[in-house]
Amino acid sequence: MNTMKPLLLLITLCLTTLVFAQTDSEKAEMTVDKNEIEGHIYFLADDALKGRATGSPELKIAASYLANTLRGYGIKPHSAINSYYQKFNLIQTTAPKVLKVSINGENYPHTIAVEAKGSNLSGEAIYLNFGIEEDYKGKDVNGKLIIVKGGTSEASDARAVYNAHKEKQELAIKNGAIGLIEMTLLEEDWWTRVSHFMEEGVKIPDTKDKQMPKPDFIHLWVNSSVNKLATFNNTKLAYAIETDGIKEETLETQNVIGVLEGTDPKLKEEFIMYSAHYDHVGIGKPDAVGDSIYNGARDNAIGTTAVLSMAENIGKFPTKRSAIFIFFTGEEKGLLGSQYYVEHPIFPLKQIVYGFNTDGGGYNNTKLATVIGLNRTTAQKHIVSGAATFGLKAIDDPAPEQGLFDRSDNVSFASKGVPAPTYSTGFDAFDDEINKYYHQPGDEADSLDYDYLLKFYQGYVLSGRLIANDPETPFWVKDDKYEVAGNVLYGKAPEAPIKN
């Protein structure tokens, strides 16, 4: 009699029982390996990938690495396209080689072209304060160039300038202006960062946008170390602009996407999305030691590796809900990959019940996991518990003035109604330690604390598992900014008003 088959069956049953008996925390601890996470980060932040610029050949190498790592973990491509790649085109813009600006005979060499065709213009300019709608009242700007302050009356930093510029451009065009100059007073470090960001801009082609600038409309940012605006008000202004214009070319890029079906017959129809952007800012101005490759270890090889850690874990121990893993391109160029996805979803947005994004610029407190939007969803308890299990305290946004919730890919989904915070490495202030590495060549793999990252990833994986296995579907907390969008997306009836 062959006794081996019953013995093998018994061993298999015992092993199966042990696997199912393991807790989620044990499963998270088992699959997150320090050597493996170092391997992922060192590859993604290697000089050979030249900073993983959007649309670059090196970003395609990174995409291949991610797709094949997912394949090795047992994560599947979407059956409809049978590919891990969601490919799409972008328009890449290259800064003019010639850009000369003078106002009242004074030259301004620190200038960025936001919109510019080849032209040689001169004429009368009108100063319009911040260039908001009320500033146009009673003013005839048809055929003239407008000069305004960058930013808003509340803020004039680089982020405020960028966030306000599209609306200012649209108002100028609407009122018949031929161009717009925004005057800024940014410090040299920030002006350099903005210049690097804008030198090779990237955008999604949008034929639906009726507010696109006229072909000859010119829009510039001009930086000055001295505030000239006081002299511009109630003064006759003359300008001269010479430029060879912004050049455009089509750029191919891709999001990387994988999926694994859940184990629960009902809950598997709901998806938890684990996401991170895998691009960075490429090659730029050399630092003090001559390094010009912006490696992006913190931003965002750390986040990319978090998603890979989650994929490895769920590949071995599937959760009740299905899992989608998305690595977005073009985040550094304006959240382009996530914006493209929400407009062209492979998996319907209403099936994605939670987005667990990972992104960050660095850390200054290795006792924390900083979760931007922690208190805004009902999954808060799982995230706090997941981090605490591995010795970290989860906190919400310590720097709300930075607007971090709206600066990463999570907001593309949140604006559509999907509950989506961003899980980041620990920081309790946006201080010099963060800025030391944020979008700097020094953001190298060998500058990271991998003992801390081990706990960080274990906490992320456990948090994701707890959310994915909870019988209760996560949602926005009551009265959150995006709760109404969530009600629309998921067909939830809003609560009836309380009657007195």
Side-chain angles (χ1 to χ4, degrees):
M1 179 179 178
N2 187 346
T3 59
M4 289 301 294
K5 285 186 178 180
L7 181 60
L8 288 171
L9 179 60
L10 179 61
I11 292 172
T12 301
L13 288 172
C14 289
L15 290 173
T16 302
T17 302
L18 285 172
V19 167
F20 280 103
Q22 288 173 323
T23 64
D24 280 323
S25 60
E26 289 170 334
K27 292 174 182 177
E29 188 171 10
M30 279 180 64
T31 60
V32 181
D33 178 77
K34 182 180 173 183
N35 291 329
E36 190 161 5
I37 61 179
E38 282 193 48
H40 291 320
I41 293 174
Y42 268 87
F43 178 84
L44 292 166
D46 194 279
D47 280 357
L49 292 189
K50 299 180 181 178
R52 308 189 306 278
T54 299
S56 67
E58 292 77 22
L59 190 69
K60 292 181 180 178
I61 293 171
S64 177
Y65 177 83
L66 297 175
N68 285 295
T69 302
L70 290 180
R71 192 191 311 275
Y73 291 157
I75 308 304
K76 307 298 182 184
H78 190 284
S79 58
I81 59 176
N82 196 31
S83 172
Y84 292 99
Y85 302 130
Q86 182 186 36
K87 297 181 179 180
F88 58 100
N89 290 336
L90 297 170
I91 300 297
Q92 180 172 359
T93 59
T94 304
K97 293 181 179 179
V98 176
L99 183 55
K100 300 177 182 179
V101 177
S102 70
I103 301 173
N104 282 353
E106 182 175 349
N107 294 325
Y108 289 85
H110 301 296
T111 307
I112 295 172
V114 181
E115 296 284 346
K117 303 293 182 183
S119 56
N120 200 327
L121 303 173
S122 61
E124 180 185 349
I126 296 178
Y127 173 69
L128 284 186
N129 199 24
F130 282 101
I132 60 176
E133 193 158 9
E134 65 182 38
D135 294 325
Y136 285 88
K137 292 180 179 178
K139 304 288 177 62
D140 180 12
V141 302
N142 190 53
K144 296 184 175 66
L145 181 115
I146 297 168
I147 298 176
V148 303
K149 300 175 187 175
T152 68
S153 57
E154 290 78 28
S156 58
D157 58 90
R159 200 162 316 292
V161 172
Y162 183 81
N163 289 341
H165 84 279
K166 289 184 180 179
E167 185 176 353
K168 293 185 182 188
Q169 184 186 92
E170 290 171 4
L171 280 170
I173 294 167
K174 177 183 175 182
N175 284 276
I178 63 169
L180 174 67
I181 291 179
E182 296 185 65
M183 302 293 295
T184 67
L185 289 168
L186 301 178
E187 295 180 0
E188 183 178 355
D189 177 56
W190 275 105
W191 181 253
T192 299
R193 294 185 188 205
V194 171
S195 299
H196 178 55
F197 175 81
M198 297 293 288
E199 266 178 9
E200 291 191 351
V202 182
K203 58 187 178 182
I204 299 173
D206 190 356
T207 57
K208 299 178 183 178
D209 189 353
K210 296 179 181 179
Q211 298 294 337
M212 288 293 283
K214 298 176 182 177
D216 57 352
F217 188 84
I218 190 163
H219 185 175
L220 308 177
W221 290 341
V222 173
N223 201 48
S224 175
S225 58
V226 180
N227 190 348
K228 302 283 186 179
L229 295 171
T231 64
F232 288 173
N233 197 17
N234 299 320
T235 301
K236 187 174 182 180
L237 300 173
Y239 72 90
I241 299 171
E242 179 186 352
T243 179
D244 60 349
I246 295 173
K247 308 300 186 296
E248 293 187 352
E249 64 176 308
T250 300
L251 202 63
E252 293 183 351
T253 191
Q254 60 284 310
N255 293 324
V256 181
I257 305 173
V259 62
L260 194 67
E261 187 176 69
T263 60
D264 185 273
K266 182 178 179 182
L267 291 180
K268 71 179 182 180
E269 298 304 316
E270 297 180 350
F271 294 88
I272 305 296
M273 179 184 70
Y274 307 96
S275 65
H277 75 89
Y278 70 107
D279 65 306
H280 194 52
V281 298
I283 296 175
K285 181 180 178 181
D287 63 10
V289 298
D291 187 0
S292 61
I293 297 176
Y294 291 61
N295 301 82
R298 289 162 178 77
D299 184 14
N300 192 31
I302 282 180
T304 303
T305 299
V307 178
L308 289 177
S309 298
M310 197 78 232
E312 181 177 12
N313 178 272
I314 293 181
K316 291 180 179 177
F317 307 112
T319 51
K320 293 179 181 180
R321 287 186 175 84
S322 296
I324 306 172
F325 307 94
I326 307 185
F327 302 94
F328 294 114
T329 182
E331 190 270 355
E332 298 289 2
K333 296 299 184 181
L335 316 181
L336 301 182
S338 57
Q339 286 182 6
Y340 185 85
Y341 184 91
V342 298
E343 297 301 330
H344 307 85
I346 295 175
F347 301 93
L349 294 182
K350 65 181 179 180
Q351 282 189 273
I352 302 175
V353 298
Y354 201 78
F356 206 19
N357 190 53
T358 316
D359 192 9
Y363 57 87
N364 58 22
N365 190 330
T366 56
K367 295 180 181 179
L368 302 177
T370 300
V371 186
I372 310 303
L374 174 65
N375 302 329
R376 298 178 65 169
T377 78
T378 59
Q380 175 186 359
K381 60 182 180 292
H382 294 316
I383 299 172
V384 170
S385 174
T389 299
F390 295 100
L392 300 180
K393 179 182 179 182
I395 65 167
D396 207 334
D397 187 355
E401 73 281 357
Q402 293 287 332
L404 297 175
F405 190 91
D406 294 330
R407 285 170 52 186
S408 190
D409 292 306
N410 63 296
V411 75
S412 298
F413 290 83
S415 63
K416 299 292 186 181
V418 179
T422 292
Y423 195 95
S424 301
T425 43
F427 68 96
D428 46 27
F430 224 82
D431 60 9
D432 290 342
E433 180 62 22
I434 301 298
N435 286 320
K436 176 182 177 182
Y437 296 103
Y438 181 62
H439 286 195
Q440 296 298 315
D443 188 9
E444 304 264 11
D446 60 6
S447 68
L448 298 177
D449 181 342
Y450 290 94
D451 290 323
Y452 165 64
L453 289 179
L454 179 66
K455 295 184 287 185
F456 174 80
Y457 291 134
Q458 289 170 333
Y460 175 79
V461 169
L462 177 55
S463 299
R465 292 194 64 82
L466 294 175
I467 296 167
N469 287 328
D470 189 342
E472 182 180 347
T473 302
F475 195 57
W476 298 104
V477 299
K478 184 173 172 54
D479 297 327
D480 187 86
K481 174 182 176 180
Y482 296 111
E483 181 191 13
V484 172
N487 287 332
V488 172
L489 177 64
Y490 302 117
K492 292 175 176 280
E495 291 185 10
I498 298 175
K499 295 181 180 180
N500 294 325

